[in-house]
Amino acid sequence: MGQARVNGVASGAAGLSVVLWLTFVNSMGTGVVTNGIFFLAKSAYGLGVKGNFALGIVLGLTYIAGAKAVGPLLGWLRRSPTHSTRGAFRWISVGCGALCVIPLAAQTLHIGGNWPVWVLVALYAPLTGCMWPITEAYLSGGRRGEKLRRALGAFNVTWSIALVAALWVIGPLVGGHPLAVIAGLGLLHVATLLLVQRLPAEPAAHADVGHEPHPAVYTRLLSAHRLLLPLGYLIVSTMSPYLPTAFGAMGIAIVWHTPLTATWHASRVLGFVWLQHDHRWHGTWIGPALATVALVVGFALVMLSPKLGLTGAVPGGAIPIVVLATGLVLLGFGVAAIYTGALYYAMEVGGSDVDTGGTHEALIGAGYAIGPGIGLSAALATEQAWIDEGAFGWIVVVVMVLLAGATWIWTGRRRTAAPVTAGSPGEST
């Protein structure tokens, strides 16, 4: 028997306002650690380009581990009547909060070394890799069709706005109080326990809401977006560890580093809002194609902007910053389109269970891991004088262009593959 529905939403579905508030607060915390940690690590521990790229690799690999483990782990826990998905969410929130205190505690106890930031990332990232698939399961459980589209749109706008707000808030604190910023994030995680308590013990089942079969092309588009999603985050995660160094080379004051980084997060918000209200991209290939172009061009502008001259030069001092900001805006729109398509098609085709969200987040984690690996390889090559130091930006740009081209060659093969039956399971790539 299916669940009773009210206005097209199953009665067992989590309240959308609860999920969105939970998303906002957790995104303030996880977003700063995954996006702002490189600025905090540079300020607190002096990590340079190589150190930040290595930190990014650890972040990505451990995030994948959490995202892929959460489904089987919850299945094992639910064998006992005393355990639930909501209970696991509570422990994840407590764990994240406790880990955020480690760097400040080590400083207070005069324990030297930069080990706290490595411990934080290595343990915090897999917990967030578990957190977001669970959040997405509560979001989409009991919703489909128009209700799912609206919920996903609100979800994307909520977490992306939280990131912009967080990066602006920590900007003045990065230089003088980086470890206090991280500890403050821990308090946010603990505060979410009040919201977690308002969730149902388990996410509602996806199939409990009546819905017409999705178009056959959705399965191919899901497959294509599962290739493009790690590409997008690979590009982002190659850029992010490099930004503190790039901003320093351009003479930008440290107080503006994270607010300027928020430019691409802000354009992603606008992209999410647009895609939430304009549904012409559903079932089409033009959206992911344009998104890929925006990603690659935006990345190239960001990585090459420091080579246009120092910002203190007159009259062309503003040119590098304008080029950089333009690149960040394009990149943000590209990520918004690919992320929205990947999550939408995953929920429409694959369902609302935690494993579906886990696959989505693991693909993001793959990008988080591979991108810094490319950057670290290029940085080591320049350090060893195997390539000219001035060629660093060009090398990583060329690599991304080649990867984007290879992705679309493979996507083209999937697009012309034999037709699939509407309603069939999503393809894994």
Side-chain angles (χ1 to χ4, degrees):
M1 294 293 291
Q3 290 174 294
R5 290 184 289 145
V6 178
N7 295 325
V9 178
S11 58
L16 183 58
S17 61
V18 174
V19 176
L20 293 181
W21 274 110
L22 190 60
T23 297
F24 184 87
V25 178
N26 277 331
S27 192
M28 290 277 288
T30 62
V32 168
V33 172
T34 54
N35 292 273
I37 193 64
F38 307 109
F39 298 96
L40 296 169
K42 182 176 177 63
S43 175
Y45 300 106
L47 263 66
V49 174
K50 290 188 300 178
N52 269 339
F53 277 133
L55 192 65
I57 294 172
V58 172
L59 189 155
L61 291 176
T62 54
Y63 191 89
I64 294 172
K68 294 305 292 181
V70 63
L73 178 61
L74 288 176
W76 177 75
L77 287 174
R78 285 196 293 260
R79 293 176 185 174
S80 168
T82 61
H83 294 96
S84 66
T85 299
R86 181 178 59 199
F89 207 152
R90 289 195 198 101
W91 283 111
I92 290 170
S93 300
V94 171
C96 287
L99 288 170
C100 288
V101 178
I102 291 177
L104 184 61
Q107 182 188 59
T108 303
L109 296 173
H110 304 290
I111 302 175
N114 62 16
W115 62 269
V117 72
W118 296 95
V119 171
L120 170 66
V121 168
L123 299 179
Y124 184 95
L127 286 181
T128 59
C130 294
M131 175 189 295
W132 289 114
I134 294 175
T135 304
E136 290 157 9
Y138 274 113
L139 174 80
S140 59
R143 297 179 175 89
R144 207 164 186 180
E146 182 62 24
K147 293 296 182 182
L148 176 61
R149 284 193 290 270
R150 290 181 180 177
L152 290 179
F155 171 74
N156 289 338
V157 171
T158 299
W159 69 255
S160 56
I161 285 179
L163 270 177
V164 175
L167 291 173
W168 270 91
V169 167
I170 71 171
L173 304 174
V174 168
H177 308 282
L179 302 185
V181 169
I182 298 174
L185 302 178
L187 296 178
L188 289 179
H189 284 301
V190 174
T192 64
L193 292 173
L194 297 174
L195 293 167
V196 172
Q197 185 59 34
R198 297 182 59 186
L199 295 172
E202 299 295 337
H206 192 55
D208 288 343
V209 180
H211 180 61
E212 296 180 2
H214 60 76
V217 72
Y218 277 27
T219 304
R220 292 201 190 107
L221 283 165
L222 171 61
S223 185
H225 279 80
R226 283 182 168 172
L227 283 170
L228 294 172
L229 187 63
L231 173 69
Y233 279 86
L234 185 154
I235 287 175
V236 167
S237 63
T238 303
M239 174 191 72
S240 296
Y242 178 69
L243 285 180
T245 299
F247 291 162
M250 296 169 70
I252 300 173
I254 192 171
V255 71
W256 288 105
H257 284 194
T258 57
L260 186 55
T261 301
T263 301
W264 83 265
H265 296 283
S267 69
R268 182 171 59 182
V269 172
L270 296 178
F272 283 150
V273 172
W274 175 34
L275 295 168
Q276 181 184 8
H277 294 92
D278 186 347
H279 300 158
R280 289 176 295 179
W281 58 273
H282 291 172
T284 70
W285 290 92
I286 188 64
L290 291 176
T292 305
V293 173
L295 273 172
V296 174
V297 173
F299 176 77
L301 293 178
V302 170
M303 296 300 293
L304 300 177
S305 58
K307 302 182 182 301
L308 299 178
L310 296 176
T311 60
V314 177
I319 292 177
I321 294 181
V322 171
V323 171
L324 178 109
T326 302
L328 291 172
V329 169
L330 287 174
L331 189 142
F333 277 117
V335 172
I338 289 174
Y339 183 96
T340 300
L343 189 55
Y344 172 70
Y345 293 123
M347 296 305 179
E348 278 290 325
V349 175
S352 66
D353 57 14
V354 173
D355 284 328
T356 299
T359 299
H360 176 81
E361 296 298 330
L363 291 169
I364 292 174
Y368 275 140
I370 298 171
I374 294 172
L376 179 60
S377 299
L380 289 173
T382 57
E383 184 182 71
Q384 296 298 319
W386 296 338
I387 59 175
D388 184 71
E389 184 175 354
F392 173 83
W394 286 104
I395 289 174
V396 291
V397 168
V398 169
V399 170
M400 295 308 164
V401 170
L402 293 175
L403 286 174
T407 300
W408 270 98
I409 290 173
W410 184 254
T411 297
R413 291 176 59 187
R414 303 302 291 267
R415 182 179 176 183
T416 56
V420 291
T421 303
S424 63
E427 301 172 43
S428 178
T429 57

